[in-house]
Amino acid sequence: MFPSLGAVTLLVSAVLGQGYSTPKAPGTSEYVLKQGPLDTPWTEKVGTNPWPEYPRPQMARSEWKNLNGVWQYRNATAGDKELDNPPFRQELENAVLVPFCLESALSGVMGNYTIHSWYRTTFDVPASWTDKVLLNFAAVDYEATVFVNEKQVARNTGGYWAFNTDITDQLNKNGTNELVVFVFDPTNLHPNNIPLGKQRLNPEHIFYTPCSGIWQTVWLESAPAESIDKLEISADADGRVDITISTTSNATTAADFILYEPNTELVKFKTKVPVNRAHSFVVDSPQLWSPDSPTLYNITVKLGSDTVQSYTGFRTISKGVVNGVQRPLLNGGFVFMFGTLDQGYWPDGLHSPPSLEAMVSDLKALKEVGYNMVRKHIKVEPALFYQAADQLGLLLIQDMPALSTSSVKLENEPPKECPAKSLTPSLDPDKVQKEFDRQLGVMVRQLKSHPSIVTWVIYNEGWGQPSERYDGVRNTSIDSILTDYVRKIDPTRLIDSVSGWNDHGAGDFHDNHHYSSPQCGTPWYSVDSSPYNPDTDHRIAFQGEFGGIGQNISEEHAWKVPASIATVKNTYELDATQEIWNLRAHMLFHELEFQIQEFACSGAVWTQTTDVEGEVNGMLTYDRRVNRMDKEQWKKDIQALYDAAAKRAVTNPTIRA
């Protein structure tokens, strides 16, 4: 029987998966944790068997083997040409700890300009696995070519997306198997333009150290010949469950679906679900999911001899007019969404948190003071991050990782950063847009079963966003085209087409960015935004980013890179002491509270969860050792925002315009 959701991670870690490390081979260096510019309280605890938890909680199998650990690594200096001669049956010179970015201290490499790379490890398959064996990668940045026993078995493009492949026919089931991975990650190397978020080859202030290579868990699992390939589940506040069970064949049989009462092994609902097509049914009287009560239901799905475990939460996100104002609605009621800009960077692992405990600690710090939302900013996290948000009750606004705003030419000495627009003639804009669109669809499909996600963001601040006219044929904006595209894939959520800047009127939000003070649903505005007029714009008024106030820190907690330290002065506002920083936050919250009371403000995003490299405007320092917040003050100020919003929901003063 599937355990209660709170025990899932513990059980999977302790019982199902065993960590695997490649023993030191002749000619391969020992793995050594590098001394980076800054560490965290978890850095020294990582060891050589990191991330032992089962990595895909919404489609979990019991028979699996974790391949994280010490692998072999080599920088591929000849680039793509090396694919013609892979290093099969060769010991690579360097040790690397998977799954940590090659540029990170935890990887043991701490590389720079790691554009082309080779990984190698060996593995055995348990004798009890007599059926199909799947090789899974949770994320490799950016393009991965995978070989098992000298045969190419997979190729994947996109630095944030999970992929797997059936390697059964390539295995030596009674012996050792060789796994070799070639990775190409251009980041913003000219002339490439890829979805990469905040990564830059030359980090600078709001752009950070890149992440190349394998940065999420790699694992094997056993499955029957006919098995479940993908599981998509959505459950709404009326008890309707929409489910699609995709299989590895064109099967037309039905799967068994079992839903359990929360935190028990009691069956609440059972039914048969046809596979390989969308199906719906209704569950009576479900307990609803919300930030105040994040109720989740465990699920078992059985198809023949294949069994997977999952979960869902019953909730509906929509929009509607409440006393004359367009509002976001959760389960039919107005919810004021207040959260942080969450970059998801770590000084020791960069994109990769050092551990599950570390990753979840960020979310708990937000929940502790009353935040009910997180904006996951132009980055996609491991699936266990979204499970944690599901469990804790945090509404998630999920950004699509942005295209680059600049490029680097390596022939310059030193390599120099150039504005992306100046390099556009050497790129194929249509090809770049087509790949961005494809990966946008991958993101929505990969994450859409998580109940905590309530909004998709397509573009941030014009980064990679085309001009208003998409082409000479379609007289509409790309924002509108992509909004319809996302809505077709997932009609259950709101869409923030453009967060900040180039707003062409698409989507569900009028989203303004302004530092340091808020401009949420107000008639005043700055050069990169437009005023909100409730008579003409019937979208939700939203403050996509504000705050950004910083407080400098001692060297002990700083990212010790001179170029980053030099950009601290570029912070939107610097406060002399932690006490003044808290006072300024208090003042800005009062401004936002006034705008909720007097205008149409329906939600806001405070910048930001943590410091990152040269940015010092986090609630927490980059090493997570200092929490700047006066917690009692922040609790009161955040609650005051919710109270003001609740009051506006039951009164109807004239909106100032």
Side-chain angles (χ1 to χ4, degrees):
M1 183 62 67
F2 195 55
S4 66
L5 194 71
V8 170
T9 297
L10 178 61
L11 181 144
V12 170
S13 171
V15 178
L16 302 180
Q18 301 299 319
Y20 176 86
S21 294
T22 304
K24 180 184 179 299
T28 301
S29 63
E30 294 276 3
Y31 166 74
V32 177
L33 170 66
K34 293 292 180 80
Q35 184 173 352
L38 188 65
D39 65 3
T40 72
W42 298 275
T43 307
E44 297 287 344
K45 301 177 183 178
V46 170
T48 56
N49 288 293
W51 284 90
E53 299 83 10
Y54 186 85
R56 193 183 57 205
Q58 286 197 311
M59 203 180 93
R61 285 193 171 95
S62 61
E63 290 187 282
W64 74 290
K65 183 174 184 176
N66 197 329
L67 296 187
N68 292 345
V70 180
W71 291 29
Q72 299 171 10
Y73 162 77
R74 174 188 294 168
N75 185 22
T77 55
D80 287 342
K81 295 178 180 178
E82 295 205 12
L83 271 172
D84 296 331
N85 188 26
F88 299 142
R89 292 182 286 177
Q90 298 177 31
E91 306 296 346
L92 307 186
E93 302 87 330
N94 305 296
V96 61
L97 186 63
V98 170
F100 293 105
C101 311
L102 290 171
E103 295 85 349
S104 72
L106 278 168
S107 73
V109 176
M110 210 159 74
N112 193 25
Y113 292 91
T114 51
I115 309 298
H116 298 87
S117 304
W118 285 109
Y119 286 82
R120 180 180 181 270
T121 191
T122 57
F123 64 88
D124 296 325
V125 175
S128 60
W129 292 10
T130 57
D131 291 320
K132 183 166 57 181
V133 177
L134 302 175
L135 172 62
N136 298 268
F137 292 83
V140 182
D141 197 349
Y142 171 71
E143 185 175 273
T145 306
V146 183
F147 303 86
V148 172
N149 294 330
E150 304 185 26
K151 182 175 181 179
Q152 182 176 326
V153 295
R155 186 164 188 163
N156 186 75
T157 299
Y160 301 91
W161 323 123
F163 65 99
N164 66 22
T165 185
D166 182 350
I167 61 171
T168 312
D169 293 341
Q170 283 72 51
L171 290 177
N172 301 318
K173 289 194 176 182
N174 296 320
T176 298
N177 299 275
E178 181 185 52
L179 170 59
V180 173
V181 183
F182 182 76
V183 179
F184 168 57
D185 182 19
T187 309
N188 61 325
L189 178 67
H190 176 76
N192 302 276
N193 195 355
I194 64 175
L196 81 175
K198 290 286 192 88
Q199 302 178 70
R200 295 297 184 272
L201 287 170
N202 295 339
E204 192 274 328
H205 194 44
I206 66 169
F207 298 109
Y208 316 136
T209 304
C211 172
S212 301
I214 301 170
W215 69 278
Q216 290 187 34
T217 292
V218 185
W219 78 102
L220 301 170
E221 61 186 5
S222 176
E226 184 178 336
S227 56
I228 298 167
D229 185 53
K230 186 164 63 172
L231 188 61
E232 294 182 356
I233 302 174
S234 177
D236 70 17
D238 295 324
R240 176 188 169 104
V241 177
D242 294 313
I243 183 170
T244 301
I245 302 171
S246 302
T247 70
T248 52
S249 66
N250 295 319
T252 57
T253 55
D256 293 312
F257 176 95
I258 306 171
L259 185 84
Y260 301 95
E261 294 284 2
N263 302 314
T264 75
E265 297 179 357
L266 299 175
V267 175
K268 178 177 177 63
F269 182 86
K270 293 176 67 175
T271 190
K272 293 279 189 180
V273 175
V275 300
N276 295 314
R277 67 179 179 88
H279 182 70
S280 300
F281 52 84
V282 175
V283 175
D284 291 335
S285 306
Q287 299 178 43
L288 302 188
W289 184 97
S290 72
D292 294 331
S293 181
T295 303
L296 298 173
Y297 287 81
N298 287 328
I299 291 167
T300 297
V301 178
K302 296 181 180 180
L303 177 68
S305 58
D306 193 18
T307 299
V308 298
Q309 312 294 353
S310 189
Y311 68 89
T312 193
F314 289 84
R315 61 100 185 100
T316 297
I317 183 73
S318 60
K319 63 180 179 179
V321 176
V322 178
N323 290 331
V325 182
Q326 189 72 251
R327 301 294 196 185
L329 307 177
L330 177 65
N331 302 330
F334 169 37
V335 56
F336 185 85
M337 296 192 290
F338 188 62
T340 64
L341 198 72
D342 195 74
Q343 310 277 7
Y345 276 75
W346 296 80
D348 46 12
L350 301 177
H351 267 195
S352 316
S355 67
L356 177 63
E357 177 190 10
M359 183 176 71
V360 174
S361 72
D362 277 4
L363 298 180
K364 288 182 176 179
L366 302 179
K367 189 75 176 179
E368 183 183 13
V369 295
Y371 284 110
N372 67 3
M373 178 266 285
V374 166
R375 179 184 171 197
K376 177 43 62 181
H377 190 41
I378 52 177
K379 184 193 177 211
V380 176
E381 296 288 357
L384 292 171
F385 174 91
Y386 300 94
Q387 182 190 38
D390 296 338
Q391 293 172 330
L392 291 171
L394 281 165
L395 305 169
L396 272 173
I397 296 175
Q398 176 63 54
D399 292 10
M400 173 63 188
L403 294 167
S404 182
T405 58
S406 64
S407 290
V408 167
K409 289 188 175 182
L410 290 184
E411 59 265 29
N412 294 330
E413 190 56 47
K416 293 181 180 179
E417 203 93 7
C418 308
K421 288 184 179 178
S422 70
L423 302 174
T424 298
S426 66
L427 303 173
D428 182 342
D430 290 337
K431 183 178 180 181
V432 169
Q433 186 65 52
K434 184 177 180 180
E435 182 60 19
F436 177 87
D437 298 355
R438 183 191 72 83
Q439 294 193 36
L440 173 63
V442 172
M443 179 187 74
V444 175
R445 291 184 181 95
Q446 180 171 305
L447 300 178
K448 63 185 289 190
S449 293
H450 288 281
S452 56
I453 298 176
V454 296
T455 299
W456 304 112
V457 176
I458 298 174
Y459 284 115
N460 174 74
E461 293 188 351
W463 298 355
Q465 178 189 6
S467 60
E468 184 170 359
R469 301 302 176 199
Y470 180 58
D471 56 30
V473 178
R474 286 174 283 189
N475 190 28
T476 187
S477 67
I478 184 64
D479 318 336
S480 179
I481 293 169
L482 289 184
T483 298
D484 292 343
Y485 169 63
V486 171
R487 190 98 66 193
K488 185 175 181 179
I489 298 172
D490 179 17
T492 71
R493 291 179 172 88
L494 301 175
I495 301 174
D496 190 344
S497 304
V498 180
S499 187
W501 298 14
N502 304 327
D503 182 7
H504 301 139
D508 299 310
F509 292 87
H510 177 285
D511 183 340
N512 174 42
H513 293 184
H514 191 254
Y515 293 97
S516 297
S517 59
Q519 293 178 350
C520 187
T522 67
W524 65 84
Y525 59 100
S526 53
V527 66
D528 293 319
S529 66
S530 58
Y532 183 78
N533 186 335
D535 295 326
T536 59
D537 195 333
H538 302 293
R539 296 176 299 167
I540 298 164
F542 194 73
Q543 184 73 61
E545 296 179 26
F546 86 110
I549 58 174
Q551 183 257 323
N552 215 336
I553 48 179
S554 65
E555 182 179 356
E556 178 187 1
H557 305 291
W559 180 247
K560 299 171 188 65
V561 174
S564 294
I565 293 172
T567 62
V568 167
K569 64 181 182 297
N570 296 338
T571 304
Y572 302 107
E573 172 185 310
L574 276 170
D575 301 321
T577 66
Q578 196 166 319
E579 291 72 23
I580 294 299
W581 181 85
N582 276 286
L583 178 60
R584 283 292 292 134
H586 181 64
M587 296 166 65
L588 294 174
F589 282 160
H590 272 297
E591 285 192 55
L592 183 62
E593 183 182 353
F594 174 82
Q595 292 171 20
I596 296 167
Q597 294 168 344
E598 298 294 330
F599 301 106
C601 181
S602 290
V605 177
W606 178 270
T607 302
Q608 58 186 331
T609 304
T610 73
D611 296 348
V612 186
E613 299 193 3
E615 294 189 72
V616 291
N617 51 10
M619 266 77 72
L620 309 173
T621 54
Y622 196 21
D623 63 0
R624 275 70 169 181
R625 288 187 171 93
V626 177
N627 186 328
R628 291 187 175 96
M629 291 183 289
D630 178 334
K631 294 180 184 179
E632 292 307 311
Q633 173 199 306
W634 282 69
K635 287 178 184 177
K636 291 177 182 177
D637 287 343
I638 291 173
Q639 185 59 49
L641 303 179
Y642 300 143
D643 292 343
K647 185 177 181 181
R648 278 300 305 273
V650 296
T651 59
N652 192 20
T654 301
I655 299 175
R656 299 173 187 260

